[in-house]
Amino acid sequence: MFQPLGLFAEVPCPQGRECGLLTCMFKHAECTSATISRSPNIASNFGDSNGHVAKKQKLEDITPAQNRPSGSLSKQSSFQLPMKEPISKLGSKIPSENPHSNATKLSSASRAVSPPTSTRPKPSSARHESSSTSTSLGSTPTRLPPRKVRKESLNPRMLTKAPANHATRSAILDKLHGAMTKLNAKLVDSKDEANRCFVLNKDELVTMALDEEEKVARENFSVYSNIIKLRIVKLTKLALEDWVNEVKAHLNTRYYKIKPQLSSESASVPTSIDTGLSVKEEIAVAALLITPLDGLEEHGYVTKAPTEAAIETARQGVLDSKGWEKCERCGGRFQVFPGRREDGALTSGGQCTYHPSRPFHPPRKRTDNVTGSSETYFPCCSETVGASAGCTKASTHVFKVSETKRLASVLQFKTTPTQPEKGKLDPVSFDCEMGYTTLGLELIRLTAVSWPEGRELLDVLVKPVGEILDLNSRFSGVFPEHFASAVPYDPSTSSSALASDQRGKPKSMQIVQSPAAARELLLNLLQPETPLIAHAIDNDLNACRIIHPTVIDTVILYPNPAGGLPLRVSLKALARRFLERDIQTGGDQGHDSKEDSIATGDLVRVKVRELWKRLKAKGWTFENDELVPPTGSDTLNIHKLAMSLSPSAGHKRKSFASS
């Protein structure tokens, strides 16, 4: 009736192979009703130019669609074939390309009438199928099926709790897609034929951008804007080879369900940091970053061991409470039975129902006085605070002890002793993992690496004093099978020499029989003046019951922009921002204490690099690996300069150093 304008020519037909229209306005496969009706070769087989059907013409004489020459279309494209049956039924009678093969007789016809699965150009798709190499898709060169790309618009996907409004997400998504499009265009223009199969079509580019934006929105809700903007900036500076590797990982994960596997070398070697200094020179500059702990006792830093009288008071208080504690996860009251109750129970109260993530408070907006402020919710399940008791269940309740004298009642604190026979020792970066027991939160893994090299010095499991309630595996990365397969500690054998699993953690870790034994192993690496590096070092020192006078805490070195302690920035966020490194990505598999130790040490190296630039500009030099100030300089002012280094432009740092 009306001449179609072709507005829907690139849109796949909603009916697919069930479509019975002779001239459908939507896009079909090559041998559809529209194609047959527009082909003069096929039309001549069915009738004359007036549309009269030849009754004795056989369907076997029809030329297959894929065998027609490209120039076979003519002005008779408006010809319509008068047929009572849809073309989808006639397609089964069309022969294949090879008439001698009965097994594949219907293959070409079935492909011709199947609905379109991708708008990817044929040459690129063919190259991708034929070049499924072992480097991108596995060690065995197999012929993989074509990618089925779902056609999507460049519109942010709907989330239960969005990190920003739709307009903001759309603007960010446009920039992300634009950066990817430019890289894809460079790949098209490149002369490297080996990587031509990784050129993405427009639908695949949209899908890749949507996937990445959605992942950041889900996993980094509170810092969504910062993370995605840094990602866009990184894409604008990305090399073509790196872009090819990212496309490989995306294709493997998205279409072939193959998780990218890193080699053991690439997984264990972190991103290098160039400070322009030797190891001894870095240690000399790091001495100016020592964190004074005086005045920080109210934030959990222990600078003096509790007295025996205070410890006895704590023990008596535990006896008087008859084991009643407050659950660290759900906030409920329960009773704990160290040594087990008569019936074998360790705790009362049954299962613990809780939210594993902390509540998130959405930032205030200018329109809150009109629309109302956003409700606080839990990122783990997106439920509003107060809507439910929790989304996760645990077999027992757990508790944490923070009071210094009560910690000392289990194991007394010990100050780092002097070891004259060992001389001066290099700095140590360490990290502790804790699990819940009947005595609170106890040390279950201790890892230490050298600084600044990151060489492993110590990595052991620790048998706690109390009975284990929960290994806190979601954060600690320690599971029951680690304890089941552990071997006694042998100083002559390092943990790295043991067999490792896919995540790089030893299958058979070494174990020591008490936190006191683990503490002695760490103290053997230290002198009182040896810099000890950690993130939130108060937690690690308290777990080990160590009082060390010379520490570098990255929590204080990189303070929270909102005002410093007690607010803290997570190690994961700092590593991503200042090291461009993703850590703690194991999900439910927990953290890797060795990875955390190396990342903490590298954050200190970033500060060393910044400080040395300032010192060098003021005339400081090195002589025999020792810092030499310029004539007339004030060492105290240099120390204040070191402690006032801002972690980022525009953020004012709250100094905790005493004058």
Side-chain angles (χ1 to χ4, degrees), residues 121-197:
K122 287 184 63 179
S124 177
S125 178
R127 284 196 304 270
H128 180 79
E129 289 186 29
S130 61
S131 62
S132 52
T133 60
S134 59
T135 56
S136 61
L137 300 175
S139 57
T140 305
T142 58
R143 185 179 180 87
L144 295 175
R147 300 193 287 270
K148 296 182 179 180
V149 185
R150 186 180 64 177
K151 192 177 183 67
E152 295 182 89
S153 62
L154 195 62
N155 192 40
R157 291 170 180 161
M158 184 177 296
L159 301 176
T160 305
K161 289 288 185 179
N165 57 42
H166 185 270
T168 302
R169 291 183 64 196
S170 296
I172 290 176
L173 185 59
D174 287 340
K175 294 181 180 179
L176 180 65
H177 178 262
M180 291 181 174
T181 303
K182 291 181 180 179
L183 288 170
N184 192 64
K186 289 182 180 179
L187 190 59
V188 173
D189 298 335
S190 68
K191 298 180 180 180
D192 188 0
E193 293 296 331
N195 292 328
R196 300 285 290 180
C197 58

Side-chain angles (χ1 to χ4, degrees), residues 41-97:
N41 295 337
I42 297 179
S44 63
N45 289 325
F46 279 88
D48 55 18
S49 59
N50 297 325
H52 300 126
V53 180
K55 297 181 180 180
K56 297 182 180 180
Q57 183 67 40
K58 296 183 179 180
L59 293 176
E60 284 77 2
D61 294 335
I62 301 176
T63 302
Q66 59 269 27
N67 290 341
R68 292 196 305 270
S70 58
S72 62
L73 296 181
S74 66
K75 297 180 181 179
Q76 298 179 8
S77 59
S78 61
F79 175 82
Q80 297 184 7
L81 181 65
M83 298 180 64
K84 297 181 179 180
E85 294 184 355
I87 297 301
S88 58
K89 296 183 179 180
L90 293 175
S92 61
K93 302 179 182 180
I94 300 176
S96 62
E97 296 182 16

Side-chain angles (χ1 to χ4, degrees), residues 10 22 50 71 75 82 92 106 137 167 176 184 246 277 288 291 293 297 326 358 423 468 471 486 500 582 586 620 637:
E10 294 300 323
L22 298 179
N50 297 325
K75 297 180 181 179
S92 61
L106 301 179
L137 300 175
L176 180 65
N184 192 64
E246 292 198 5
L277 302 173
L288 298 177
T291 304
L293 299 182
E297 291 82 2
K326 181 180 180 180
R358 297 179 180 178
I468 296 176
L471 288 175
S500 300
D582 289 324
W620 284 66
N637 291 335

Side-chain angles (χ1 to χ4, degrees), residues 307-318:
T307 62
E308 288 297 330
I311 294 174
E312 186 59 33
T313 302
R315 288 173 178 164
Q316 188 60 42
V318 173

Side-chain angles (χ1 to χ4, degrees), residues 210-225:
L210 290 174
D211 286 349
E212 186 156 347
E213 192 275 339
E214 181 184 16
K215 181 180 179 182
V216 176
R218 290 183 181 277
E219 298 180 359
N220 304 95
F221 186 94
S222 58
V223 289
Y224 163 80
S225 180

Side-chain angles (χ1 to χ4, degrees), residues 330-621:
C330 68
R333 302 290 295 181
F334 72 104
Q335 201 171 9
V336 62
F337 310 110
R340 295 189 180 274
R341 198 170 55 182
E342 292 81 0
D343 58 356
L346 291 174
T347 61
S348 65
Q351 285 187 333
C352 176
T353 303
Y354 66 102
H355 290 283
S357 62
R358 297 179 180 178
F360 177 76
H361 306 275
R364 293 184 58 85
K365 302 177 183 178
R366 296 180 179 179
T367 58
D368 283 353
N369 58 340
V370 178
T371 61
S373 58
S374 301
E375 295 180 322
T376 303
Y377 67 94
F378 293 98
C380 54
C381 59
S382 300
E383 288 188 359
T384 306
V385 173
S388 68
C391 58
T392 306
K393 292 184 180 294
S395 57
T396 63
H397 297 276
V398 295
F399 70 102
K400 175 184 177 181
V401 175
S402 302
E403 196 175 13
T404 305
K405 60 183 180 181
R406 188 172 174 186
L407 291 173
S409 66
V410 177
L411 178 64
Q412 175 61 296
F413 284 81
K414 183 177 182 179
T415 303
T416 305
T418 303
Q419 305 178 74
E421 69 281 1
K422 294 187 177 181
K424 185 178 180 181
L425 299 177
D426 291 340
V428 175
S429 178
F430 83 117
D431 184 65
C432 297
E433 302 296 346
M434 282 79 79
Y436 293 103
T437 73
T438 53
L439 297 178
L441 197 60
E442 289 196 65
L443 176 69
I444 58 174
R445 183 180 180 183
L446 174 61
T447 305
V449 298
S450 63
W451 189 91
E453 305 98 324
R455 174 174 43 86
E456 181 182 312
L457 300 174
L458 179 66
D459 189 12
V460 293
L461 289 176
V462 182
K463 184 178 180 180
V465 179
E467 293 83 5
I468 296 176
L469 298 177
D470 191 336
L471 288 175
N472 201 27
S473 301
R474 182 173 176 266
F475 296 101
S476 68
V478 179
F479 292 83
E481 50 266 30
H482 287 94
F483 278 92
S485 61
V487 297
Y489 173 73
D490 182 2
S492 62
T493 305
S494 64
S495 298
S496 59
L498 302 175
S500 300
D501 60 13
Q502 294 180 352
R503 295 192 64 247
K505 291 187 177 181
K507 288 183 179 179
S508 299
M509 295 187 64
Q510 301 186 61
I511 188 171
V512 294
Q513 296 303 309
S514 67
R519 177 176 64 183
E520 292 303 318
L521 294 177
L522 180 60
L523 291 178
N524 287 336
L525 306 173
L526 305 174
Q527 297 278 26
E529 64 276 5
T530 302
L532 188 58
I533 303 169
H535 184 78
I537 199 170
D538 55 315
N539 295 325
D540 300 306
L541 290 177
N542 293 348
C544 297
R545 307 296 198 273
I546 292 177
I547 299 177
H548 190 73
T550 311
V551 302
I552 300 178
D553 192 351
T554 49
V555 159
I556 299 178
L557 210 56
Y558 294 84
N560 190 298
L565 293 175
L567 302 177
R568 308 182 179 199
V569 182
S570 68
L571 179 62
K572 181 177 182 179
L574 291 177
R576 176 171 291 181
R577 181 173 183 183
F578 296 100
L579 304 177
E580 296 185 355
R581 185 185 308 170
D582 289 324
I583 64 172
Q584 301 176 0
T585 58
D588 293 339
Q589 296 300 313
H591 302 171
D592 186 345
S593 54
K594 182 178 179 180
E595 179 185 57
D596 291 353
S597 300
I598 294 175
T600 303
D602 286 347
L603 286 171
V604 177
R605 295 190 66 199
V606 171
K607 285 298 181 183
V608 167
R609 181 176 58 191
E610 294 179 9
L611 178 58
W612 170 239
K613 288 182 180 179
R614 298 193 181 189
L615 293 177
K616 188 177 181 180
K618 291 181 178 293
W620 284 66
T621 58

